[in-house]
Amino acid sequence: MKFYNLLIDWYLSNQRDLPWRKTKQPYHIWLSEIMLQQTRVAQGLPYYLRFVEEFPSVFDLAEASEEKVLKLWQGLGYYSRARNLHFTAKYVANELNGKFPHTYKELKKLKGVGDYTASAIASICFNEPVAVVDGNVYRVLSRVFGVDTPINSTEGIKEFKNLAEEKLDKENASVYNQAIMEFGALHCKPKNPYCITCPFQAECVAFQQGKIEELPIKLKKTKVKTKHFNYLVVVSEGKTVIQQRRGNGIWKNLYQFPLIETEKEVSKTQFLKEENFLQLLSVPAEKVNLFNKKPIKHVLSHRKLMVKFWVMDLPEISSAFKTKEFEVIQQENIRLYPVPVLIEKFIEQFYFNK
DNA sequence: AAAACGGGGTA
DNA sequence: TACCCAGTTTT
């Protein structure tokens, strides 16, 4: 029995019932694939359902504002996915008459669609014989065939792509690709895989050599850097002040309270005296209160943020906030804006003294 | 070639 | 903690 036959047999009796498996419409497959990049099915599923409900077609998504798309994406992370999703929706709707490309080569030209996603859409929707290589595929192939090349090295990426193409069932790329990913997700798991009941036990190099725990091999990732954020939460006549994050850093185009970044954690005295922007405001010290005594630790894949929220009770909005950088809004309207989870959690706890 | 880019689940 | 998740883009 060939590798792909065993795999597909396993899949046909073990696959999960997922909404995007009930369709082959490129719009839905594309949407699900973008959402599931570096994201577990369990986490992405509710977002997928809300998006399909809110945007039944690519035209609906194209017509929405980016702010609305980001708001619906809030909490899913990697927000460039949402921005690229919206950009591509507009492109497909307006330039391609709502029709997605039908080939790997053309799909890969879409913003936010890389090698994996182009392969996934081309194979799942059109049965094009191109192999997907995601985290699951790296794990299954490295173990079964005993490949110890680091999966995140240039060499490894090429080698695994070639191996994946070699093992692909070219007549049934759609089912095969989903099968190998599903097998990696449910059976050949990172920790405690079900080797005892594995259909590949006899031929699995890693199992036979006792290397299940070691494979796949991955080069160590970069150090997490610590940053110190100080947010100014203005409270004034039922209003507050927010700003949209610009540039290419984290949370681009999402909203937050006015931010002052410091080299290290600062006390109230240090905060009020040493920061230029605050001096500009000239707020009396008694009007400033620290919301959280200990900094809130917010950990991202490559950053550790230590965050303090400074609440400023003002009789009126300072003129320093009346620039293009800031927006003065009614407090109750803050829930309409897309914000990082960190900010959302704060808003839930803080009732703006009502 | 390496770093940037989120948030949550698992052991 | 440390690692991982249906990866892509930028530096």
Side-chain angles (χ1 to χ4, degrees), chain A residues 21-74:
Chain A
R21 294 209 170 125
K22 300 183 189 305
T23 178
K24 294 216 169 190
Q25 289 185 44
Y27 170 64
H28 295 90
I29 301 302
W30 165 70
L31 182 57
S32 71
E33 293 300 344
I34 300 295
M35 283 187 166
L36 294 175
Q37 288 168 6
Q38 295 292 285
T39 305
R40 286 164 206 283
V41 167
Q43 190 187 1
L45 182 54
Y47 286 84
Y48 175 83
L49 296 174
R50 286 197 287 270
F51 264 74
V52 170
E53 166 113 28
E54 192 70 30
F55 311 119
S57 77
V58 70
F59 296 103
D60 300 309
L61 181 54
E63 287 169 13
S65 66
E66 181 184 280
E67 210 158 290
K68 183 173 180 183
V69 175
L70 284 172
K71 185 64 190 176
L72 218 53
W73 196 273
Q74 183 180 310

Coordinates of all heavy atoms in Angstrom, one line a residue, chain A residues 21-74:
Chain A
R21 N -15.1 22.5 4.8 CA -15.0 21.2 4.1 C -16.3 20.9 3.4 O -16.4 19.9 2.6 CB -14.7 20.1 5.0 CG -13.3 20.2 5.6 CD -12.7 18.9 6.0 NE -11.3 19.1 6.3 CZ -10.7 18.7 7.4 NH1 -11.4 18.0 8.3 NH2 -9.4 18.9 7.7
K22 N -17.3 21.7 3.6 CA -18.6 21.5 2.9 C -18.7 22.3 1.6 O -19.7 22.3 0.9 CB -19.8 22.0 3.8 CG -19.8 21.2 5.1 CD -21.0 21.7 5.9 CE -21.0 21.1 7.4 NZ -20.9 19.7 7.4
T23 N -17.6 23.0 1.2 CA -17.7 23.8 0.0 C -16.3 23.7 -0.7 O -15.3 23.4 -0.1 CB -18.0 25.3 0.3 OG1 -17.9 26.0 -0.9 CG2 -16.9 25.8 1.3
K24 N -16.3 24.0 -2.0 CA -15.1 24.2 -2.8 C -15.0 25.6 -3.4 O -14.3 25.8 -4.3 CB -15.0 23.1 -3.8 CG -14.9 21.7 -3.3 CD -14.0 20.8 -4.1 CE -13.6 19.6 -3.4 NZ -12.6 18.8 -4.0
Q25 N -15.9 26.5 -2.9 CA -15.8 27.8 -3.4 C -14.5 28.5 -3.0 O -14.2 28.5 -1.8 CB -17.0 28.6 -2.9 CG -18.3 28.3 -3.5 CD -19.4 29.2 -3.0 OE1 -19.3 30.4 -3.0 NE2 -20.6 28.6 -2.6
P26 N -13.7 29.0 -3.9 CA -12.4 29.6 -3.6 C -12.5 30.7 -2.5 O -11.7 30.8 -1.7 CB -12.0 30.2 -4.9 CG -12.7 29.4 -5.9 CD -14.0 29.0 -5.3
Y27 N -13.6 31.5 -2.5 CA -13.8 32.5 -1.5 C -13.7 31.9 -0.1 O -13.0 32.5 0.8 CB -15.1 33.3 -1.7 CG -15.4 34.2 -0.6 CD1 -14.6 35.3 -0.3 CD2 -16.5 34.1 0.2 CE1 -14.8 36.2 0.7 CE2 -16.8 34.9 1.2 CZ -16.0 36.0 1.5 OH -16.3 36.9 2.5
H28 N -14.5 30.9 0.1 CA -14.5 30.3 1.5 C -13.2 29.6 1.8 O -12.8 29.6 3.0 CB -15.7 29.3 1.5 CG -17.0 30.0 1.4 ND1 -17.7 30.2 0.2 CD2 -17.8 30.6 2.3 CE1 -18.8 30.9 0.4 NE2 -18.9 31.1 1.7
I29 N -12.6 28.9 0.9 CA -11.4 28.2 1.1 C -10.3 29.2 1.4 O -9.5 29.1 2.4 CB -11.0 27.3 -0.1 CG1 -12.1 26.2 -0.3 CG2 -9.7 26.6 0.2 CD1 -12.4 25.3 0.9
W30 N -10.2 30.2 0.6 CA -9.2 31.3 0.8 C -9.4 31.9 2.2 O -8.4 32.0 2.9 CB -9.4 32.4 -0.3 CG -8.8 33.7 -0.1 CD1 -7.5 34.0 -0.1 CD2 -9.5 34.9 0.2 NE1 -7.2 35.3 0.1 CE2 -8.4 35.9 0.3 CE3 -10.8 35.3 0.3 CZ2 -8.8 37.3 0.5 CZ3 -11.1 36.6 0.5 CH2 -10.1 37.6 0.7
L31 N -10.6 32.3 2.5 CA -10.9 32.9 3.9 C -10.4 32.0 5.0 O -9.7 32.4 5.9 CB -12.4 33.1 4.0 CG -12.9 33.8 5.2 CD1 -12.2 35.2 5.4 CD2 -14.4 34.0 5.2
S32 N -10.8 30.7 4.9 CA -10.4 29.8 6.0 C -8.9 29.6 6.0 O -8.3 29.5 7.1 CB -11.1 28.4 5.8 OG -10.5 27.7 4.7
E33 N -8.2 29.5 4.9 CA -6.8 29.3 4.9 C -6.0 30.5 5.4 O -5.0 30.3 6.2 CB -6.3 29.0 3.4 CG -6.8 27.7 2.9 CD -6.3 26.5 3.7 OE1 -5.4 26.6 4.5 OE2 -6.9 25.4 3.5
I34 N -6.5 31.7 5.1 CA -5.8 32.9 5.7 C -6.0 32.9 7.2 O -5.0 33.1 8.0 CB -6.4 34.2 5.1 CG1 -6.2 34.2 3.6 CG2 -5.8 35.4 5.7 CD1 -4.8 34.3 3.1
M35 N -7.2 32.6 7.6 CA -7.5 32.6 9.1 C -6.7 31.6 9.8 O -6.3 31.8 11.0 CB -8.9 32.4 9.3 CG -9.8 33.6 9.0 SD -11.5 33.3 9.5 CE -12.1 35.0 9.5
L36 N -6.4 30.4 9.2 CA -5.8 29.3 9.9 C -4.3 29.4 9.8 O -3.6 28.5 10.4 CB -6.3 28.0 9.4 CG -7.8 27.8 9.7 CD1 -8.3 26.5 9.0 CD2 -8.1 27.8 11.2
Q37 N -3.7 30.4 9.2 CA -2.2 30.6 9.2 C -1.7 30.8 10.6 O -2.1 31.7 11.3 CB -1.8 31.7 8.3 CG -2.0 31.5 6.8 CD -1.8 32.8 6.0 OE1 -1.5 33.8 6.5 NE2 -2.1 32.7 4.7
Q38 N -0.9 29.9 11.1 CA -0.3 30.0 12.4 C -1.4 30.1 13.5 O -1.3 30.7 14.5 CB 0.6 31.2 12.5 CG 1.8 31.1 11.7 CD 2.8 30.1 12.2 OE1 3.5 30.2 13.1 NE2 2.8 28.9 11.5
T39 N -2.5 29.5 13.2 CA -3.7 29.6 14.1 C -4.4 28.2 14.2 O -4.6 27.6 13.2 CB -4.7 30.6 13.6 OG1 -4.0 31.9 13.4 CG2 -5.9 30.8 14.5
R40 N -4.7 27.8 15.4 CA -5.4 26.5 15.6 C -6.9 26.6 15.0 O -7.5 27.6 15.1 CB -5.5 26.1 17.0 CG -4.1 25.6 17.5 CD -4.1 25.6 19.0 NE -2.7 25.7 19.5 CZ -1.8 24.8 19.5 NH1 -2.2 23.6 19.1 NH2 -0.6 25.0 19.9
V41 N -7.3 25.5 14.6 CA -8.7 25.4 14.1 C -9.7 25.9 15.1 O -10.6 26.6 14.8 CB -9.0 23.9 13.6 CG1 -10.5 23.8 13.4 CG2 -8.3 23.6 12.4
A42 N -9.5 25.4 16.3 CA -10.4 25.8 17.4 C -10.5 27.3 17.6 O -11.5 27.9 17.9 CB -10.0 25.1 18.7
Q43 N -9.3 28.0 17.4 CA -9.3 29.4 17.6 C -9.9 30.2 16.4 O -10.6 31.2 16.5 CB -7.9 29.9 17.8 CG -7.8 31.4 18.3 CD -6.4 31.9 18.3 OE1 -5.4 31.2 18.1 NE2 -6.2 33.2 18.7
G44 N -9.7 29.7 15.2 CA -10.1 30.3 14.0 C -11.6 30.1 13.6 O -12.2 30.9 13.0
L45 N -12.1 29.0 14.1 CA -13.5 28.6 13.7 C -14.5 29.6 13.9 O -15.3 30.0 13.0 CB -13.8 27.2 14.3 CG -15.2 26.6 14.0 CD1 -15.4 26.5 12.5 CD2 -15.3 25.3 14.7
P46 N -14.6 30.1 15.2 CA -15.7 31.1 15.4 C -15.5 32.4 14.5 O -16.5 33.0 14.1 CB -15.5 31.5 16.9 CG -14.2 30.9 17.3 CD -13.9 29.8 16.4
Y47 N -14.3 32.8 14.3 CA -14.0 33.9 13.4 C -14.5 33.6 12.0 O -15.1 34.5 11.3 CB -12.5 34.3 13.4 CG -12.1 34.9 14.6 CD1 -11.7 34.2 15.7 CD2 -12.0 36.3 14.7 CE1 -11.2 34.8 16.9 CE2 -11.5 36.9 15.9 CZ -11.2 36.2 17.0 OH -10.7 36.8 18.1
Y48 N -14.2 32.4 11.5 CA -14.7 32.0 10.2 C -16.2 32.1 10.0 O -16.7 32.7 9.1 CB -14.2 30.6 9.9 CG -14.7 30.1 8.5 CD1 -14.1 30.4 7.3 CD2 -15.9 29.3 8.5 CE1 -14.6 29.9 6.1 CE2 -16.4 28.8 7.3 CZ -15.7 29.1 6.1 OH -16.2 28.7 4.9
L49 N -16.9 31.6 11.0 CA -18.3 31.6 11.0 C -18.9 33.1 11.0 O -19.8 33.4 10.3 CB -18.9 30.9 12.2 CG -18.6 29.4 12.2 CD1 -19.0 28.7 13.5 CD2 -19.2 28.7 11.0
R50 N -18.3 33.9 11.8 CA -18.7 35.3 11.9 C -18.4 36.0 10.5 O -19.2 36.8 10.1 CB -18.0 36.1 13.0 CG -18.6 35.7 14.4 CD -18.1 36.7 15.4 NE -16.7 36.7 15.8 CZ -16.3 35.9 16.7 NH1 -17.1 35.2 17.5 NH2 -15.0 35.9 17.0
F51 N -17.3 35.8 9.9 CA -16.9 36.4 8.7 C -17.9 36.0 7.5 O -18.3 36.8 6.8 CB -15.5 36.1 8.3 CG -14.5 37.2 8.7 CD1 -14.1 37.3 10.0 CD2 -13.9 38.0 7.7 CE1 -13.2 38.3 10.4 CE2 -13.1 39.0 8.1 CZ -12.7 39.1 9.4
V52 N -18.2 34.7 7.5 CA -19.1 34.2 6.4 C -20.5 34.8 6.6 O -21.1 35.1 5.6 CB -19.1 32.6 6.4 CG1 -20.2 32.1 5.5 CG2 -17.8 32.1 6.0
E53 N -20.8 34.9 7.8 CA -22.2 35.5 8.1 C -22.2 37.0 7.7 O -23.1 37.4 7.1 CB -22.4 35.3 9.6 CG -23.6 36.2 10.1 CD -24.8 35.3 10.6 OE1 -24.5 34.2 11.0 OE2 -25.9 35.8 10.5
E54 N -21.2 37.7 8.1 CA -21.1 39.1 7.9 C -20.8 39.4 6.4 O -21.3 40.4 5.8 CB -20.1 39.8 8.8 CG -20.1 41.3 8.8 CD -21.3 41.8 9.6 OE1 -21.8 41.1 10.5 OE2 -21.8 42.9 9.3
F55 N -19.9 38.6 5.8 CA -19.5 38.8 4.4 C -19.8 37.5 3.6 O -18.8 36.8 3.4 CB -18.0 39.2 4.3 CG -17.6 40.3 5.3 CD1 -16.7 40.1 6.2 CD2 -18.2 41.6 5.2 CE1 -16.3 41.1 7.1 CE2 -17.8 42.6 6.0 CZ -16.8 42.3 7.0
P56 N -21.0 37.3 3.1 CA -21.3 36.1 2.4 C -20.5 35.9 1.1 O -20.3 34.8 0.7 CB -22.8 36.2 2.1 CG -23.3 37.2 3.1 CD -22.2 38.2 3.3
S57 N -20.1 37.0 0.5 CA -19.4 36.9 -0.8 C -18.2 37.8 -0.7 O -18.0 38.7 0.2 CB -20.3 37.3 -1.9 OG -20.4 38.7 -2.0
V58 N -17.3 37.6 -1.7 CA -16.1 38.5 -1.7 C -16.4 39.9 -2.0 O -15.7 40.9 -1.6 CB -15.1 37.9 -2.8 CG1 -15.7 38.2 -4.2 CG2 -13.7 38.6 -2.7
F59 N -17.6 40.2 -2.6 CA -18.0 41.5 -2.8 C -18.4 42.2 -1.5 O -18.2 43.4 -1.3 CB -19.2 41.6 -3.8 CG -18.9 41.1 -5.2 CD1 -19.3 39.8 -5.6 CD2 -18.2 41.9 -6.1 CE1 -18.9 39.3 -6.8 CE2 -17.9 41.4 -7.3 CZ -18.2 40.1 -7.7
D60 N -19.1 41.5 -0.6 CA -19.4 42.0 0.7 C -18.2 42.4 1.5 O -18.1 43.5 2.1 CB -20.3 41.0 1.5 CG -21.5 40.6 0.7 OD1 -22.3 41.6 0.3 OD2 -21.8 39.4 0.5
L61 N -17.2 41.5 1.4 CA -15.9 41.8 2.1 C -15.2 43.0 1.5 O -14.7 43.9 2.2 CB -15.0 40.6 2.0 CG -13.7 40.7 2.8 CD1 -13.8 41.1 4.2 CD2 -12.9 39.4 2.7
A62 N -15.3 43.1 0.2 CA -14.6 44.2 -0.5 C -15.3 45.6 -0.2 O -14.6 46.6 -0.1 CB -14.7 44.0 -2.1
E63 N -16.6 45.5 0.0 CA -17.3 46.8 0.2 C -17.2 47.3 1.7 O -17.5 48.4 1.9 CB -18.8 46.6 -0.1 CG -19.0 46.6 -1.6 CD -20.4 46.1 -2.0 OE1 -21.3 46.1 -1.0 OE2 -20.7 45.8 -3.1
A64 N -16.7 46.4 2.6 CA -16.6 46.8 4.0 C -15.5 47.8 4.1 O -14.5 47.8 3.3 CB -16.5 45.6 4.8
S65 N -15.5 48.5 5.2 CA -14.3 49.3 5.6 C -13.2 48.5 6.2 O -13.5 47.4 6.8 CB -14.7 50.4 6.6 OG -15.1 49.9 7.8
E66 N -12.0 48.9 6.1 CA -10.9 48.2 6.7 C -11.1 48.1 8.2 O -10.8 47.1 8.9 CB -9.5 48.8 6.4 CG -8.4 47.9 7.1 CD -7.0 48.6 6.9 OE1 -6.5 48.4 5.8 OE2 -6.5 49.2 7.8
E67 N -11.7 49.2 8.8 CA -11.9 49.2 10.2 C -12.9 48.1 10.7 O -12.7 47.5 11.7 CB -12.4 50.6 10.6 CG -12.1 51.0 12.0 CD -12.2 52.5 12.1 OE1 -11.3 53.2 11.5 OE2 -13.1 53.0 12.8
K68 N -13.9 47.9 9.9 CA -14.8 46.9 10.2 C -14.2 45.5 10.1 O -14.5 44.6 10.9 CB -16.1 46.9 9.3 CG -17.1 45.9 9.6 CD -18.4 46.1 8.8 CE -19.5 45.1 9.2 NZ -20.7 45.2 8.3
V69 N -13.4 45.3 9.1 CA -12.7 44.0 8.9 C -11.8 43.7 10.1 O -11.8 42.7 10.7 CB -11.9 44.0 7.6 CG1 -11.1 42.7 7.5 CG2 -12.9 44.1 6.4
L70 N -11.0 44.8 10.5 CA -10.1 44.6 11.6 C -10.9 44.4 12.9 O -10.4 43.6 13.8 CB -9.2 45.9 11.7 CG -8.1 46.0 10.8 CD1 -7.4 47.4 10.9 CD2 -7.1 44.9 10.9
K71 N -12.0 45.0 13.0 CA -12.8 44.8 14.3 C -13.3 43.4 14.4 O -13.3 42.8 15.4 CB -14.0 45.8 14.3 CG -14.8 45.7 15.5 CD -14.0 46.2 16.7 CE -14.7 45.9 18.1 NZ -13.9 46.3 19.2
L72 N -13.7 42.8 13.2 CA -14.1 41.4 13.2 C -13.0 40.5 13.4 O -13.1 39.3 13.9 CB -14.8 41.1 11.9 CG -16.1 40.2 11.9 CD1 -17.1 40.7 12.9 CD2 -16.7 40.1 10.6
W73 N -11.8 40.9 13.0 CA -10.6 40.1 13.2 C -10.0 40.2 14.6 O -9.1 39.4 15.0 CB -9.5 40.6 12.1 CG -8.4 39.6 11.9 CD1 -7.2 39.5 12.6 CD2 -8.3 38.6 10.9 NE1 -6.4 38.5 12.1 CE2 -7.1 37.9 11.0 CE3 -9.2 38.2 9.8 CZ2 -6.7 36.9 10.2 CZ3 -8.8 37.2 9.0 CH2 -7.5 36.5 9.2
Q74 N -10.4 41.2 15.3 CA -9.8 41.5 16.6 C -9.7 40.3 17.5 O -10.7 39.5 17.7 CB -10.7 42.5 17.4 CG -10.2 43.0 18.7 CD -11.1 44.0 19.4 OE1 -11.4 45.0 18.8 NE2 -11.4 43.7 20.6

